[in-house]
């Protein structure tokens, strides 16, 4: 099964990024691509949703499975193909834009060809959104095409990590399942041992696993959740003092709350309330 949409390349492209093509190949054991260096002048990401396939890099063959992807920069040599025994469901999009190369290099995307995506469901949904728009409207809504391309690229940048030969176990998915609960209970006192105990693992392994999945420590995640709620309350609860907001957000110390807020927002909670709270 194949779904694909190929779009016109714009010679004077006014957007940061734009799709050249988007689609997927499923249950096609003969899917095989070889492009010499210099043959293709756009970026492309191929992501494996199911099944298996192979990517050749400097005469070394790497196997890709579900949740893994290959990112090619323009003009790179490309060689990838499906497994015949377990054909892959490969989701792909080709894209281009002025300034994209510097943007991706600044974020370290040039350091690896092969990646694993920690939260694949959101990436797959973003890909489907772009594919549907391209299929249904083609070039009628270029702003929307550009926006959806950036949304898909942003999902990749946010959740992709260089592919490691060591596969993670299902504890990684258990961390993801725990995040909404941690967010909901963020204002409560943070006790690392309790959260590790919910997964039945040591605090050391919990922190290591948490960082590998989210690229932050558990306390950094809790801090983000607390400050996000505090920002909302500063604008909604106009009669509440800064001290009350701080305590409700999990910070009995107003001075410490001010310090952490300043680190993230570049201003004090009082200044934020004055700036965005209206009259």
């Amino acid at each position: 099964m194949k779904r694909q949409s190929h779009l016109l390349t714009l010679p004077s492209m006014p957007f940061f990024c734009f799709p050249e093509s988007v689609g997927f190949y499923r249950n096609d054991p003969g899917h095989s691509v070889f492009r010499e260096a210099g043959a293709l002048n756009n970026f492309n990401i191929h992501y494996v949703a199911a099944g298996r396939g192979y990517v050749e890099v400097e005469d070394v063959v790497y196997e890709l499975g579900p949740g893994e992807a290959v990112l090619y920069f323009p003009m790179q040599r490309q060689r990838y193909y499906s497994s015949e025994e377990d054909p892959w469901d490969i989701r792909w999009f080709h894209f281009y834009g002025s300034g994209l190369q510097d943007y991706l290099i600044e974020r370290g995307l040039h350091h690896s060809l092969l990646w694993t995506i920690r939260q694949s469901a959101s990436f797959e949904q973003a890909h489907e959104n772009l594919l549907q728009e391209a299929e249904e409207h083609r070039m009628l809504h270029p702003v929307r095409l550009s926006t959806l391309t950036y949304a898909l690229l942003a999902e990749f940048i946010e959740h992709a990590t260089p592919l490691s030969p060591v596969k993670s176990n299902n504890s990684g998915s258990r961390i993801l399942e725990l995040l909404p609960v941690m967010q909901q209970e963020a204002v409560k006192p943070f006790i690392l041992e309790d959260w590790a105990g919910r997964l039945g693992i040591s605090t050391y392994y919990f922190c290591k696993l948490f960082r590998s999945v989210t690229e932050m420590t558990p306390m950094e995640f809790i801090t983000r959740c607390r400050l996000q709620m505090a920002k909302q309350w500063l604008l909604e609860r106009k009669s509440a003092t800064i001290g009350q907001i701080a305590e409700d957000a999990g910070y009995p110390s107003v001075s410490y709350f001010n310090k952490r807020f300043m680190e993230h927002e570049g201003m004090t909670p009082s200044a934020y309330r004055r700036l965005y709270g209206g009259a």
Side-chain angles (χ1 to χ4, degrees):
M1 179 182 177
K2 297 180 181 179
R3 282 176 61 194
Q4 53 187 322
S5 182
H6 294 264
L7 302 162
L8 182 67
T9 300
L10 302 177
S12 299
M13 216 274 288
F15 307 109
F16 175 68
C17 60
F18 203 77
E20 184 275 334
S21 57
V22 56
F24 68 72
Y25 294 87
R26 184 180 296 157
N27 296 325
D28 182 5
H31 180 222
S32 178
V33 172
F34 173 68
R35 299 185 180 103
E36 289 283 7
L40 193 64
N41 190 25
N42 56 46
F43 298 87
N44 66 83
I45 294 174
H46 286 67
Y47 160 83
V48 182
R52 301 205 164 267
Y54 305 93
V55 175
E56 293 184 10
V57 183
E58 297 179 351
D59 298 323
V60 178
V61 178
Y62 296 88
E63 182 181 271
L64 293 186
E68 298 170 346
V70 54
L71 163 64
Y72 288 111
F73 273 58
M75 305 300 184
Q76 279 190 298
R77 181 183 186 273
Q78 303 180 14
R79 177 73 176 113
Y80 53 90
Y81 46 93
S82 175
S83 163
E84 295 183 358
E85 296 78 20
D86 185 16
W88 61 13
D89 175 352
I90 189 85
R91 317 285 175 91
W92 50 267
F93 72 113
H94 292 227
F95 56 101
Y96 60 101
S98 60
L100 261 182
Q101 183 137 324
D102 290 341
Y103 176 77
L104 295 178
I105 289 174
E106 286 174 2
R107 283 150 185 79
L109 274 297
H110 61 301
H111 290 310
S112 177
L113 199 67
L114 307 177
W115 302 83
T116 183
I117 298 181
R118 297 187 304 274
Q119 298 190 35
S120 55
S122 57
F123 179 86
E124 291 179 18
Q125 184 59 59
H127 180 273
E128 178 64 22
N129 293 342
L130 175 60
L131 179 55
Q132 284 185 359
E133 175 65 25
E135 287 177 330
E136 294 175 10
H137 303 292
R138 297 187 180 273
M139 303 283 286
L140 287 179
H141 308 303
V143 172
R144 181 161 175 78
L145 281 173
S146 176
T147 301
L148 291 172
T149 302
Y150 180 74
L152 179 53
L153 179 59
E155 287 288 347
F156 182 85
I157 293 172
E158 174 71 14
H159 301 302
T161 56
L163 183 62
S164 167
V166 179
K167 303 291 183 183
S168 61
N169 58 28
N170 65 354
S171 294
S173 62
R174 293 171 66 196
I175 289 286
L176 293 176
E177 293 170 359
L178 200 60
L179 293 183
V181 184
M182 293 181 70
Q183 179 175 257
Q184 185 176 359
E185 300 182 16
V187 299
K188 298 179 180 180
F190 177 74
I191 302 174
L192 179 60
E193 290 78 8
D194 289 351
W195 290 105
R198 297 194 190 199
L199 297 190
I201 58 179
S202 69
T203 55
Y204 170 79
Y205 186 57
F206 180 84
C207 291
K208 182 177 180 180
L209 189 62
F210 197 96
R211 181 179 283 276
S212 72
V213 172
T214 67
E215 293 194 330
M216 68 183 88
T217 68
M219 195 63 234
E220 286 171 340
F221 177 76
I222 292 294
T223 297
R224 290 189 183 188
C225 295
R226 289 176 173 177
L227 294 179
Q228 190 279 326
M229 285 186 280
K231 287 179 65 176
Q232 193 78 16
W233 292 337
L234 284 167
L235 305 184
E236 292 179 350
R237 298 166 54 187
K238 297 183 183 297
S239 62
T241 66
I242 300 299
Q244 289 171 331
I245 297 291
E247 187 170 359
D248 290 348
Y251 295 102
S253 168
V254 177
S255 61
Y256 186 66
F257 171 64
N258 286 342
K259 177 182 178 183
R260 299 316 304 266
F261 196 96
M262 185 78 178
E263 288 172 354
H264 280 264
E265 301 301 324
M267 66 182 77
T268 66
S270 297
Y272 179 83
R273 174 179 267 176
R274 287 194 301 270
L275 184 61
Y276 295 103

